[in-house]
Amino acid sequence: DAGVIQSPRHEVTEMGQEVTLRCKPISGHNSLFWYRQTMMRGLELLIYFNNNVPIDDSGMPEDRFSAKMPNASFSTLKIQPSEPRDSAVYFCASSLDRGQLGVESPLHFGNGTRLTVT
Amino acid sequence: AQSVTQLGSHVSVSEGALVLLRCNYSSSVPPYLFWYVQYPNQGLQLLLKYTSAATLVKGINGFEAEFKKSETSFHLTKPSAHMSDAAEYFCAVSSFYGKLTFGQGTILTVHP
């Protein structure tokens, strides 16, 4: 099992540039989550997909952030334009949601993308 | 609405000593509760989970946690700390569709 794969591991960019983060979930998983981790705010859920459909994007901070999941094996998180306050570690996680009320579904996390915006 | 409070952002223990990391939750529905561990420059790994079966849950690496509904707690313990346990630990609560709300994390330091 390859686990959740994120790329790149590190990204350094200048303010105003577009940044695209990529995620390949575990094969067979139908739920995908993007989290952001900072010292100040801890782990924040940005967006949640189920069966490739965005279900909850209430955590997306601004219109500068967008996420897509064109198929079950790929998702992107895009920031355009980027700002220094976007510097953080961005995690992608996937899980198998069996769709039944009350069924737990542990998340499997990727190793994250450390984004630095200068 | 759900929330998690981890008491103590830093915990320091000696090797061989008891590890106790505290977590209290708030949930309007019966919760699913998790502990995750994060090593430097890595993602989070699941340690253990509570899913309304046994209230005492055993996880990997000798960790266990006890669900206490009356205290709304899910504290993580390990009888004897090892140097390799040094990491950041996150408690999380899940809604019915699996969305996790994390606590702020507790950094565990283990001294020789």
Side-chain angles (χ1 to χ4, degrees):
Chain A
D1 187 345
V4 176
I5 300 173
Q6 291 186 246
S7 64
R9 285 299 309 273
H10 303 274
E11 177 78 44
V12 180
T13 190
E14 292 183 347
M15 178 177 174
Q17 296 298 306
E18 177 179 297
V19 175
T20 299
L21 311 181
R22 296 172 176 81
C23 175
K24 177 179 170 56
I26 291 174
S27 178
H29 281 188
N30 61 355
S31 293
L32 185 139
F33 303 77
W34 281 101
Y35 280 86
R36 177 171 68 176
Q37 186 178 36
T38 62
M39 289 290 291
M40 291 297 294
R41 294 186 298 271
L43 276 159
E44 305 171 280
L45 177 65
L46 299 179
I47 188 167
Y48 156 58
F49 292 88
N50 184 261
N51 293 320
N52 311 338
V53 176
I55 302 299
D56 182 353
D57 65 354
S58 59
M60 295 287 264
E62 301 171 30
D63 290 345
R64 299 184 296 105
F65 285 69
S66 62
K68 294 183 179 179
M69 192 164 186
N71 57 62
S73 59
F74 184 66
S75 176
T76 60
L77 178 67
K78 185 176 294 184
I79 308 172
Q80 165 63 21
S82 59
E83 296 182 4
R85 60 193 168 118
D86 301 331
S87 297
V89 180
Y90 290 82
F91 287 103
C92 177
S94 71
S95 69
L96 176 60
D97 181 352
R98 296 177 176 84
Q100 299 175 30
L101 184 68
V103 174
E104 91 293 357
S105 184
L107 299 191
H108 296 260
F109 282 78
N111 284 331
T113 295
R114 182 175 297 277
L115 174 65
T116 303
V117 183
T118 60
Chain B
Q2 298 176 308
S3 66
V4 172
T5 302
Q6 291 183 238
L7 301 176
S9 58
H10 290 80
V11 170
S12 181
V13 300
S14 298
E15 192 173 19
L18 171 71
V19 175
L20 171 60
L21 305 183
R22 299 177 187 274
C23 171
N24 288 89
Y25 70 91
S26 172
S27 177
S28 56
V29 298
Y32 296 105
L33 295 160
F34 306 82
W35 276 98
Y36 281 83
V37 60
Q38 184 179 29
Y39 298 101
N41 300 315
Q42 293 186 25
L44 280 71
Q45 302 173 32
L46 181 67
L47 266 181
L48 50 80
K49 61 186 180 187
Y50 166 75
T51 60
S52 74
T55 57
L56 182 63
V57 181
K58 294 187 183 300
I60 62 172
N61 300 338
F63 284 93
E64 63 182 34
E66 186 172 9
F67 172 70
K68 292 186 176 180
K69 183 178 180 180
S70 60
E71 299 177 8
T72 61
S73 69
F74 191 57
H75 301 330
L76 181 71
T77 61
K78 182 173 181 178
S80 177
H82 194 274
M83 297 294 289
S84 61
D85 295 328
E88 188 163 14
Y89 291 80
F90 292 89
C91 182
V93 61
S94 174
S95 68
F96 68 91
Y97 63 73
K99 172 183 173 180
L100 287 182
T101 300
F102 286 91
Q104 284 296 99
T106 298
I107 295 174
L108 175 66
T109 303
V110 182
H111 296 287

PDB file of all heavy atoms in Angstrom, chain A residues 45-67:
ATOM      1  N   LEU A  45      -9.268  22.069   8.817  1.00  0.00           N
ATOM      2  CA  LEU A  45      -9.818  21.431   7.633  1.00  0.00           C
ATOM      3  C   LEU A  45     -10.186  22.503   6.613  1.00  0.00           C
ATOM      4  O   LEU A  45     -10.922  23.438   6.918  1.00  0.00           O
ATOM      5  CB  LEU A  45     -11.063  20.626   7.989  1.00  0.00           C
ATOM      6  CG  LEU A  45     -11.786  19.970   6.815  1.00  0.00           C
ATOM      7  CD1 LEU A  45     -10.898  18.903   6.168  1.00  0.00           C
ATOM      8  CD2 LEU A  45     -13.096  19.365   7.271  1.00  0.00           C
ATOM      9  N   LEU A  46      -9.657  22.355   5.419  1.00  0.00           N
ATOM     10  CA  LEU A  46      -9.951  23.325   4.357  1.00  0.00           C
ATOM     11  C   LEU A  46     -11.147  22.879   3.535  1.00  0.00           C
ATOM     12  O   LEU A  46     -12.087  23.651   3.314  1.00  0.00           O
ATOM     13  CB  LEU A  46      -8.733  23.488   3.444  1.00  0.00           C
ATOM     14  CG  LEU A  46      -7.461  23.995   4.111  1.00  0.00           C
ATOM     15  CD1 LEU A  46      -6.330  24.078   3.085  1.00  0.00           C
ATOM     16  CD2 LEU A  46      -7.694  25.357   4.745  1.00  0.00           C
ATOM     17  N   ILE A  47     -11.123  21.627   3.078  1.00  0.00           N
ATOM     18  CA  ILE A  47     -12.187  21.130   2.213  1.00  0.00           C
ATOM     19  C   ILE A  47     -12.248  19.616   2.288  1.00  0.00           C
ATOM     20  O   ILE A  47     -11.251  18.960   2.558  1.00  0.00           O
ATOM     21  CB  ILE A  47     -11.973  21.604   0.756  1.00  0.00           C
ATOM     22  CG1 ILE A  47     -13.175  21.253  -0.130  1.00  0.00           C
ATOM     23  CG2 ILE A  47     -10.688  21.023   0.182  1.00  0.00           C
ATOM     24  CD1 ILE A  47     -13.159  21.957  -1.485  1.00  0.00           C
ATOM     25  N   TYR A  48     -13.445  19.095   2.055  1.00  0.00           N
ATOM     26  CA  TYR A  48     -13.695  17.664   2.141  1.00  0.00           C
ATOM     27  C   TYR A  48     -14.454  17.224   0.894  1.00  0.00           C
ATOM     28  O   TYR A  48     -15.466  17.834   0.535  1.00  0.00           O
ATOM     29  CB  TYR A  48     -14.491  17.381   3.411  1.00  0.00           C
ATOM     30  CG  TYR A  48     -15.315  16.117   3.430  1.00  0.00           C
ATOM     31  CD1 TYR A  48     -14.738  14.870   3.242  1.00  0.00           C
ATOM     32  CD2 TYR A  48     -16.690  16.179   3.677  1.00  0.00           C
ATOM     33  CE1 TYR A  48     -15.500  13.723   3.283  1.00  0.00           C
ATOM     34  CE2 TYR A  48     -17.458  15.034   3.718  1.00  0.00           C
ATOM     35  CZ  TYR A  48     -16.858  13.798   3.523  1.00  0.00           C
ATOM     36  OH  TYR A  48     -17.613  12.647   3.566  1.00  0.00           O
ATOM     37  N   PHE A  49     -13.959  16.202   0.211  1.00  0.00           N
ATOM     38  CA  PHE A  49     -14.612  15.611  -0.953  1.00  0.00           C
ATOM     39  C   PHE A  49     -15.126  14.218  -0.599  1.00  0.00           C
ATOM     40  O   PHE A  49     -14.454  13.473   0.123  1.00  0.00           O
ATOM     41  CB  PHE A  49     -13.615  15.448  -2.117  1.00  0.00           C
ATOM     42  CG  PHE A  49     -13.132  16.723  -2.733  1.00  0.00           C
ATOM     43  CD1 PHE A  49     -12.018  17.382  -2.222  1.00  0.00           C
ATOM     44  CD2 PHE A  49     -13.766  17.256  -3.851  1.00  0.00           C
ATOM     45  CE1 PHE A  49     -11.551  18.549  -2.808  1.00  0.00           C
ATOM     46  CE2 PHE A  49     -13.308  18.425  -4.441  1.00  0.00           C
ATOM     47  CZ  PHE A  49     -12.199  19.074  -3.919  1.00  0.00           C
ATOM     48  N   ASN A  50     -16.263  13.879  -1.138  1.00  0.00           N
ATOM     49  CA  ASN A  50     -16.750  12.510  -1.051  1.00  0.00           C
ATOM     50  C   ASN A  50     -17.161  12.072  -2.451  1.00  0.00           C
ATOM     51  O   ASN A  50     -17.960  12.776  -3.098  1.00  0.00           O
ATOM     52  CB  ASN A  50     -17.919  12.399  -0.073  1.00  0.00           C
ATOM     53  CG  ASN A  50     -18.383  10.968   0.099  1.00  0.00           C
ATOM     54  OD1 ASN A  50     -19.357  10.543  -0.499  1.00  0.00           O
ATOM     55  ND2 ASN A  50     -17.673  10.211   0.909  1.00  0.00           N
ATOM     56  N   ASN A  51     -16.610  10.965  -2.903  1.00  0.00           N
ATOM     57  CA  ASN A  51     -16.869  10.501  -4.280  1.00  0.00           C
ATOM     58  C   ASN A  51     -16.634  11.624  -5.302  1.00  0.00           C
ATOM     59  O   ASN A  51     -17.446  11.839  -6.212  1.00  0.00           O
ATOM     60  CB  ASN A  51     -18.281   9.933  -4.405  1.00  0.00           C
ATOM     61  CG  ASN A  51     -18.449   8.658  -3.608  1.00  0.00           C
ATOM     62  OD1 ASN A  51     -17.556   7.806  -3.574  1.00  0.00           O
ATOM     63  ND2 ASN A  51     -19.586   8.520  -2.944  1.00  0.00           N
ATOM     64  N   ASN A  52     -15.543  12.339  -5.106  1.00  0.00           N
ATOM     65  CA  ASN A  52     -15.045  13.400  -6.004  1.00  0.00           C
ATOM     66  C   ASN A  52     -15.864  14.684  -5.942  1.00  0.00           C
ATOM     67  O   ASN A  52     -15.573  15.629  -6.684  1.00  0.00           O
ATOM     68  CB  ASN A  52     -14.992  12.921  -7.457  1.00  0.00           C
ATOM     69  CG  ASN A  52     -14.313  11.579  -7.621  1.00  0.00           C
ATOM     70  OD1 ASN A  52     -13.530  11.176  -6.772  1.00  0.00           O
ATOM     71  ND2 ASN A  52     -14.626  10.885  -8.690  1.00  0.00           N
ATOM     72  N   VAL A  53     -16.853  14.743  -5.113  1.00  0.00           N
ATOM     73  CA  VAL A  53     -17.711  15.919  -5.020  1.00  0.00           C
ATOM     74  C   VAL A  53     -17.370  16.710  -3.759  1.00  0.00           C
ATOM     75  O   VAL A  53     -17.285  16.113  -2.678  1.00  0.00           O
ATOM     76  CB  VAL A  53     -19.199  15.513  -4.986  1.00  0.00           C
ATOM     77  CG1 VAL A  53     -20.080  16.737  -4.791  1.00  0.00           C
ATOM     78  CG2 VAL A  53     -19.576  14.759  -6.247  1.00  0.00           C
ATOM     79  N   PRO A  54     -17.155  18.025  -3.871  1.00  0.00           N
ATOM     80  CA  PRO A  54     -16.881  18.810  -2.659  1.00  0.00           C
ATOM     81  C   PRO A  54     -18.122  18.867  -1.774  1.00  0.00           C
ATOM     82  O   PRO A  54     -19.186  19.302  -2.212  1.00  0.00           O
ATOM     83  CB  PRO A  54     -16.508  20.189  -3.211  1.00  0.00           C
ATOM     84  CG  PRO A  54     -17.126  20.245  -4.577  1.00  0.00           C
ATOM     85  CD  PRO A  54     -17.134  18.846  -5.098  1.00  0.00           C
ATOM     86  N   ILE A  55     -17.967  18.417  -0.535  1.00  0.00           N
ATOM     87  CA  ILE A  55     -19.081  18.348   0.399  1.00  0.00           C
ATOM     88  C   ILE A  55     -19.065  19.514   1.371  1.00  0.00           C
ATOM     89  O   ILE A  55     -20.107  20.071   1.717  1.00  0.00           O
ATOM     90  CB  ILE A  55     -19.056  17.019   1.182  1.00  0.00           C
ATOM     91  CG1 ILE A  55     -19.098  15.827   0.230  1.00  0.00           C
ATOM     92  CG2 ILE A  55     -20.199  16.961   2.188  1.00  0.00           C
ATOM     93  CD1 ILE A  55     -20.337  15.766  -0.632  1.00  0.00           C
ATOM     94  N   ASP A  56     -17.880  19.864   1.827  1.00  0.00           N
ATOM     95  CA  ASP A  56     -17.759  20.913   2.832  1.00  0.00           C
ATOM     96  C   ASP A  56     -16.513  21.730   2.531  1.00  0.00           C
ATOM     97  O   ASP A  56     -15.406  21.241   2.697  1.00  0.00           O
ATOM     98  CB  ASP A  56     -17.668  20.279   4.220  1.00  0.00           C
ATOM     99  CG  ASP A  56     -17.592  21.323   5.341  1.00  0.00           C
ATOM    100  OD1 ASP A  56     -17.483  22.526   5.043  1.00  0.00           O
ATOM    101  OD2 ASP A  56     -17.640  20.912   6.514  1.00  0.00           O
ATOM    102  N   ASP A  57     -16.708  22.935   2.061  1.00  0.00           N
ATOM    103  CA  ASP A  57     -15.568  23.817   1.778  1.00  0.00           C
ATOM    104  C   ASP A  57     -15.576  25.038   2.689  1.00  0.00           C
ATOM    105  O   ASP A  57     -14.990  26.068   2.367  1.00  0.00           O
ATOM    106  CB  ASP A  57     -15.533  24.234   0.312  1.00  0.00           C
ATOM    107  CG  ASP A  57     -16.733  25.094  -0.069  1.00  0.00           C
ATOM    108  OD1 ASP A  57     -17.638  25.270   0.779  1.00  0.00           O
ATOM    109  OD2 ASP A  57     -16.768  25.593  -1.209  1.00  0.00           O
ATOM    110  N   SER A  58     -16.244  24.918   3.808  1.00  0.00           N
ATOM    111  CA  SER A  58     -16.384  26.058   4.714  1.00  0.00           C
ATOM    112  C   SER A  58     -15.051  26.500   5.308  1.00  0.00           C
ATOM    113  O   SER A  58     -14.925  27.619   5.792  1.00  0.00           O
ATOM    114  CB  SER A  58     -17.363  25.724   5.837  1.00  0.00           C
ATOM    115  OG  SER A  58     -16.920  24.594   6.560  1.00  0.00           O
ATOM    116  N   GLY A  59     -14.058  25.638   5.258  1.00  0.00           N
ATOM    117  CA  GLY A  59     -12.751  25.990   5.794  1.00  0.00           C
ATOM    118  C   GLY A  59     -11.817  26.665   4.817  1.00  0.00           C
ATOM    119  O   GLY A  59     -10.743  27.117   5.202  1.00  0.00           O
ATOM    120  N   MET A  60     -12.225  26.758   3.581  1.00  0.00           N
ATOM    121  CA  MET A  60     -11.376  27.434   2.583  1.00  0.00           C
ATOM    122  C   MET A  60     -11.333  28.910   2.951  1.00  0.00           C
ATOM    123  O   MET A  60     -12.379  29.581   2.975  1.00  0.00           O
ATOM    124  CB  MET A  60     -11.943  27.241   1.181  1.00  0.00           C
ATOM    125  CG  MET A  60     -11.931  25.795   0.740  1.00  0.00           C
ATOM    126  SD  MET A  60     -10.279  25.214   0.346  1.00  0.00           S
ATOM    127  CE  MET A  60     -10.281  25.453  -1.423  1.00  0.00           C
ATOM    128  N   PRO A  61     -10.131  29.436   3.182  1.00  0.00           N
ATOM    129  CA  PRO A  61     -10.034  30.768   3.775  1.00  0.00           C
ATOM    130  C   PRO A  61     -10.519  31.898   2.883  1.00  0.00           C
ATOM    131  O   PRO A  61     -11.131  32.835   3.370  1.00  0.00           O
ATOM    132  CB  PRO A  61      -8.549  30.905   4.115  1.00  0.00           C
ATOM    133  CG  PRO A  61      -7.849  29.872   3.322  1.00  0.00           C
ATOM    134  CD  PRO A  61      -8.812  28.789   3.046  1.00  0.00           C
ATOM    135  N   GLU A  62     -10.224  31.839   1.622  1.00  0.00           N
ATOM    136  CA  GLU A  62     -10.583  32.949   0.748  1.00  0.00           C
ATOM    137  C   GLU A  62     -10.777  32.444  -0.673  1.00  0.00           C
ATOM    138  O   GLU A  62     -10.472  31.278  -0.973  1.00  0.00           O
ATOM    139  CB  GLU A  62      -9.443  34.000   0.746  1.00  0.00           C
ATOM    140  CG  GLU A  62      -9.110  34.569   2.091  1.00  0.00           C
ATOM    141  CD  GLU A  62      -7.843  35.413   2.027  1.00  0.00           C
ATOM    142  OE1 GLU A  62      -7.564  36.012   0.957  1.00  0.00           O
ATOM    143  OE2 GLU A  62      -7.128  35.479   3.033  1.00  0.00           O
ATOM    144  N   ASP A  63     -11.248  33.337  -1.517  1.00  0.00           N
ATOM    145  CA  ASP A  63     -11.424  32.968  -2.931  1.00  0.00           C
ATOM    146  C   ASP A  63     -10.104  32.663  -3.613  1.00  0.00           C
ATOM    147  O   ASP A  63     -10.096  32.086  -4.703  1.00  0.00           O
ATOM    148  CB  ASP A  63     -12.135  34.096  -3.685  1.00  0.00           C
ATOM    149  CG  ASP A  63     -13.587  34.217  -3.250  1.00  0.00           C
ATOM    150  OD1 ASP A  63     -14.081  33.274  -2.600  1.00  0.00           O
ATOM    151  OD2 ASP A  63     -14.208  35.241  -3.560  1.00  0.00           O
ATOM    152  N   ARG A  64      -9.020  33.036  -2.995  1.00  0.00           N
ATOM    153  CA  ARG A  64      -7.710  32.734  -3.590  1.00  0.00           C
ATOM    154  C   ARG A  64      -7.438  31.237  -3.570  1.00  0.00           C
ATOM    155  O   ARG A  64      -6.574  30.744  -4.292  1.00  0.00           O
ATOM    156  CB  ARG A  64      -6.595  33.461  -2.835  1.00  0.00           C
ATOM    157  CG  ARG A  64      -6.708  34.973  -2.852  1.00  0.00           C
ATOM    158  CD  ARG A  64      -5.508  35.643  -2.166  1.00  0.00           C
ATOM    159  NE  ARG A  64      -5.422  35.318  -0.739  1.00  0.00           N
ATOM    160  CZ  ARG A  64      -4.548  34.476  -0.215  1.00  0.00           C
ATOM    161  NH1 ARG A  64      -3.671  33.858  -0.985  1.00  0.00           N
ATOM    162  NH2 ARG A  64      -4.542  34.259   1.090  1.00  0.00           N
ATOM    163  N   PHE A  65      -8.152  30.528  -2.710  1.00  0.00           N
ATOM    164  CA  PHE A  65      -7.970  29.084  -2.579  1.00  0.00           C
ATOM    165  C   PHE A  65      -9.047  28.353  -3.385  1.00  0.00           C
ATOM    166  O   PHE A  65     -10.227  28.697  -3.311  1.00  0.00           O
ATOM    167  CB  PHE A  65      -8.086  28.660  -1.113  1.00  0.00           C
ATOM    168  CG  PHE A  65      -6.905  29.002  -0.267  1.00  0.00           C
ATOM    169  CD1 PHE A  65      -6.603  30.318   0.058  1.00  0.00           C
ATOM    170  CD2 PHE A  65      -6.078  27.993   0.214  1.00  0.00           C
ATOM    171  CE1 PHE A  65      -5.510  30.621   0.852  1.00  0.00           C
ATOM    172  CE2 PHE A  65      -4.984  28.295   1.016  1.00  0.00           C
ATOM    173  CZ  PHE A  65      -4.702  29.606   1.331  1.00  0.00           C
ATOM    174  N   SER A  66      -8.614  27.333  -4.120  1.00  0.00           N
ATOM    175  CA  SER A  66      -9.579  26.488  -4.817  1.00  0.00           C
ATOM    176  C   SER A  66      -9.064  25.053  -4.814  1.00  0.00           C
ATOM    177  O   SER A  66      -7.859  24.819  -4.792  1.00  0.00           O
ATOM    178  CB  SER A  66      -9.807  26.972  -6.249  1.00  0.00           C
ATOM    179  OG  SER A  66      -8.604  26.898  -6.997  1.00  0.00           O
ATOM    180  N   ALA A  67      -9.976  24.114  -4.828  1.00  0.00           N
ATOM    181  CA  ALA A  67      -9.597  22.703  -4.835  1.00  0.00           C
ATOM    182  C   ALA A  67     -10.465  21.961  -5.830  1.00  0.00           C
ATOM    183  O   ALA A  67     -11.632  22.278  -6.009  1.00  0.00           O
ATOM    184  CB  ALA A  67      -9.744  22.093  -3.450  1.00  0.00           C
TER     185      ALA A  67
END
